Amino acid sequence: PSDYYFFMDDDITVGKKTLELYMEHAHENCCLTQWGKVGGKNPGHAYTSGQEYSARRISKPMPVEAVIGRGSIFCSFNGLVNMLELEKELRKHPAYEMGREADIILGMANDSMAVPAYDNPEALMVDMGEKGVGMVRESGHYQKRSRIMEVIYDIRKRQNQSNK
């Protein structure tokens, strides 16, 4: 086990100070990203609606309900364990697709934050372009991701009620 794990898409790469930025904001049950979303009236649809937070546009860390796969995720060991526990429950649901929602599950299982890098261009992730490929090109991709968010909200609601 490591204290922290770093995940990133195949169409981006790190800047010179990306890991320093993440370490500056890391904590025990965290999941950090440079890109995240917070939902509106229906938080289960945060993926296709809601407010986006990007490291390029924020000046302080912002809590997010969902981390967005396009980019990178930095999480603690506990954060990874939290994800695996949530995924055990999700595997029972027909809307779950192995591999498609890993970033959403990781982000929603933890205290997730979008971290700022607007004043530090060396900390920003470097976009290498999708080159016309990827799951985002599949029909219904965003709707599937919103649906799994709804399922996660329902699971968390049940867990919170049983813990009372």
Side-chain angles (χ1 to χ4, degrees):
S2 293
D3 293 333
Y4 294 96
Y5 294 86
F6 180 66
F7 303 91
M8 64 182 193
D9 269 357
D10 60 356
D11 57 358
I12 55 119
T13 190
V14 295
K16 290 180 182 178
K17 298 197 176 199
T18 302
L19 293 176
E20 288 176 33
L21 171 73
Y22 283 139
M23 286 304 298
E24 178 183 329
H25 297 284
H27 58 86
E28 189 174 327
N29 287 310
C30 76
C31 185
L32 304 171
T33 185
Q34 289 191 20
W35 193 267
K37 281 196 170 195
V38 176
K41 292 179 183 175
N42 182 352
H45 287 291
Y47 196 84
T48 54
S49 64
Q51 177 65 47
E52 293 180 356
Y53 291 100
S54 162
R56 288 178 165 86
R57 297 192 307 239
I58 60 175
S59 60
K60 62 182 181 179
M62 304 290 295
V64 293
E65 292 170 339
V67 296
I68 304 303
R70 184 159 173 77
S72 63
I73 301 171
F74 187 80
C75 79
S76 65
F77 174 78
N78 287 346
L80 194 56
V81 170
N82 293 341
M83 174 201 175
L84 295 173
E85 287 298 318
L86 176 57
E87 192 171 31
K88 266 194 235 177
E89 186 70 25
L90 278 173
R91 285 173 181 249
K92 302 172 192 172
H93 199 279
Y96 173 74
E97 290 185 39
M98 178 79 87
R100 176 180 291 277
E101 299 96 3
D103 54 340
I104 290 176
I105 300 166
L106 183 58
M108 292 183 73
N110 292 288
D111 299 325
S112 296
M113 305 284 285
V115 294
Y118 75 99
D119 62 346
N120 186 354
E122 290 188 331
L124 286 169
M125 298 300 299
V126 177
D127 188 346
M128 299 185 322
E130 292 177 11
K131 304 198 179 30
V133 298
M135 281 192 250
V136 71
R137 305 286 180 189
E138 294 176 10
S139 176
H141 172 73
Y142 296 115
Q143 292 77 14
K144 289 177 181 181
R145 288 172 73 78
S146 282
R147 178 66 185 126
I148 205 65
M149 288 177 75
E150 290 175 350
V151 171
I152 293 171
Y153 275 103
D154 289 345
I155 290 170
R156 288 182 6 188
K157 194 169 157 184
R158 282 194 311 272
Q159 288 172 340
N160 288 339
Q161 289 171 345
S162 69
N163 289 337
K164 290 181 179 180

